Amino acid sequence: MLFFGKVARRDADAYVAQFKTATAEQLLDDWLYQVHTNAKIAEAKHTWVRRAMFASFGGAACWLPAVWLMAEF
């Protein structure tokens, strides 16, 4: 009920009505599921950023000798 994806897919009036009738436990459960989902997304992003950094360092290892060879000629 708090995550933007679920909110945007609902009719505004129906969302407001459901939110007003939700208990504190329902809101806490929803929030905790969102925290867990966001943690999974952050972990995946961190993995891909790390891979991209290693790839860029590998590319720089090839790029530096190419620049050096071009400067020689």
Side-chain angles (χ1 to χ4, degrees), residues 1-10 15 30 34 38 41:
M1 284 182 252
L2 304 171
F3 188 63
F4 66 91
K6 290 180 181 178
V7 173
R9 280 179 261 168
R10 293 194 161 163
Y15 171 73
D30 189 56
Q34 290 172 49
N38 287 337
I41 293 168

Side-chain angles (χ1 to χ4, degrees), residues 14-57:
Y15 171 73
V16 169
Q18 184 185 12
F19 192 89
K20 286 182 177 181
T21 61
T23 65
E25 186 174 343
Q26 288 172 321
L27 292 173
L28 180 60
D29 285 347
D30 189 56
W31 182 62
L32 292 172
Y33 278 110
Q34 290 172 49
V35 168
H36 185 264
T37 300
N38 287 337
K40 290 170 89 174
I41 293 168
E43 179 186 23
K45 285 182 177 182
H46 177 64
T47 299
W48 283 106
V49 167
R50 189 172 352 114
R51 289 178 183 172
M53 287 178 60
F54 285 126
S56 68
F57 292 143

